[in-house]
């Protein structure tokens, strides 16, 4: 299952499995974001292309107003997915 | 998409019994989800279930996805997305099959009598 919540430090934490069945949940949460945010992926176990799509569309929307998502602490497999997809060129990634 | 939960449970049960490590599981889960959702997306009118089989052969996992009644769609010939475009030009579609090819060691597509069979091979390293 997937969890998504705002942490006390202001980061958004997404944990668990971000697969195609969870896109509505994440999209709904991220649709309320209007400013630059950090997404903490420490507890994200898995992401599929459906999840990448939600992050991409959010980043595109935020860029229109000069804001961006920064992603941090993704595991090696997710990092590979981002690299293969060229998403390391459109997201700032911190580990 | 409600089937995904069952599919992940199936993968978990198989990989646990086969002694496959959590690190080795990721590409298998990814490939199965991407190809399954692709089959569902492009065969919305089909009333038949998609079958998924998994087999551990030596140091390989072999997965087949079978859609028994569908139009042909050769995933091996899917158009690759442009991954070096700037953000404003990036599209969300097309990544699933492309990334799957990166994650597995071999992929095969067969189509006969309205039946599609995709076979994936993933070598288990380590």
């Amino acid at each position: 299952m997937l969890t998504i919540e705002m942490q006390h430090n202001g980061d958004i934490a997404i944990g668990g499995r971000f697969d195609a069945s969870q896109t509505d949940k994440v999209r709904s949460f991220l649709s309320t974001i209007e400013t630059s945010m950090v997404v903490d992926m420490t507890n994200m176990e898995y992401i599929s292309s459906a999840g990448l799509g939600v992050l991409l569309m959010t980043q595109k929307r935020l860029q229109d107003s000069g804001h961006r998502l920064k992603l941090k602490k993704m595991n090696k497999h997710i990092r590979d997915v981002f690299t293969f997809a060229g998403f390391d060129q459109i997201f700032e990634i911190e580990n | 998409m409600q089937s995904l939960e069952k599919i992940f449970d199936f993968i978990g049960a198989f990989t646990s019994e086969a002694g496959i490590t959590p690190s080795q599981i990721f590409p298998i889960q990814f490939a199965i989800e991407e190809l399954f959702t692709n089959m569902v997306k492009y065969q919305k009118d089909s009333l038949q279930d998609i079958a998924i089989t998994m087999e551990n052969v030596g140091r390989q996992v072999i997965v087949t996805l079978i859609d028994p009644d569908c139009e042909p769609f050769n995933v091996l010939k899917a158009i690759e997305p442009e991954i070096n475009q700037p953000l404003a030009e990036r599209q969300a579609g097309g990544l699933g099959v492309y990334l799957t090819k990166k994650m597995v060691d071999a992929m095969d597509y067969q189509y006969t009598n309205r039946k599609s069979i995709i076979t994936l091979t993933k070598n288990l390293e380590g």
Side-chain angles (χ1 to χ4, degrees):
Chain A
M1 288 304 293
L2 178 135
T3 60
I4 182 166
E5 58 186 5
M6 196 72 76
Q7 295 184 309
H8 294 303
N9 63 358
D11 292 352
I12 298 168
I14 305 178
R17 202 172 63 225
F18 192 176
D19 62 39
S21 68
Q22 305 299 318
T23 54
D24 287 347
K25 182 177 183 177
V26 178
R27 186 182 297 116
S28 177
F29 186 100
L30 293 180
S31 70
T32 67
I33 303 303
E34 299 288 342
T35 187
S36 293
M37 300 289 288
V38 174
V39 179
D40 187 334
M41 298 166 70
T42 301
N43 295 315
M44 185 183 290
E45 300 162 5
Y46 169 94
I47 191 167
S48 66
S49 68
L52 295 180
V54 173
L55 293 177
L56 173 65
M57 299 315 289
T58 303
Q59 189 76 320
K60 288 163 74 78
R61 178 175 63 78
L62 290 174
Q63 187 189 46
D64 288 345
S65 57
H67 299 292
R68 296 176 82 82
L69 295 178
K70 182 164 86 170
L71 312 178
K72 72 177 189 183
K73 299 184 181 178
M74 54 181 70
N75 70 35
K76 177 192 177 302
H77 292 295
I78 294 176
R79 188 66 173 88
D80 286 344
V81 169
F82 272 71
T83 301
F84 292 150
F87 273 35
D88 53 346
Q89 305 302 311
I90 58 178
F91 287 93
E92 183 181 347
I93 298 173
E94 177 187 299
N95 273 316
Chain B
M1 292 304 115
Q2 295 90 332
S3 303
L4 279 179
E5 192 72 32
K6 292 180 186 176
I7 289 171
F8 278 100
D9 287 344
F10 168 63
I11 297 170
F14 172 84
T15 53
S16 176
E17 189 171 330
I20 295 171
T21 66
S23 182
Q24 294 168 324
I25 292 170
F26 188 103
I28 297 170
Q29 291 175 320
F30 188 96
I32 292 174
E33 174 181 342
E34 296 297 346
L35 294 174
F36 174 77
T37 55
N38 202 61
M39 281 178 160
V40 170
K41 190 188 306 181
Y42 291 107
Q43 299 298 341
K44 288 178 184 169
D45 295 331
S46 176
L47 298 176
Q48 304 223 29
D49 290 339
I50 294 167
I52 301 173
T53 70
M54 299 183 71
E55 190 180 11
N56 190 9
V57 181
R59 296 298 298 163
Q60 291 184 329
V61 171
I62 300 173
V63 178
T64 61
L65 295 99
I66 302 169
D67 190 337
D69 182 30
C70 60
E71 299 297 322
F73 179 72
N74 189 342
V75 292
L76 300 179
K77 296 183 178 178
I79 297 172
E80 295 196 344
E82 296 283 343
I83 66 163
N84 294 312
Q85 290 177 320
L87 178 62
E89 294 168 34
R90 285 299 301 262
Q91 300 295 317
L95 279 173
V97 172
Y98 169 76
L99 291 171
T100 296
K101 291 177 184 175
K102 295 273 187 191
M103 307 276 253
V104 301
D105 295 288
M107 188 154 64
D108 181 65
Y109 174 81
Q110 301 290 328
Y111 183 81
T112 310
N113 295 329
R114 291 194 59 77
K115 179 192 287 188
S116 277
I117 302 175
I118 299 174
T119 305
L120 309 170
T121 302
K122 179 64 186 170
N123 298 331
L124 300 175
E125 298 165 4

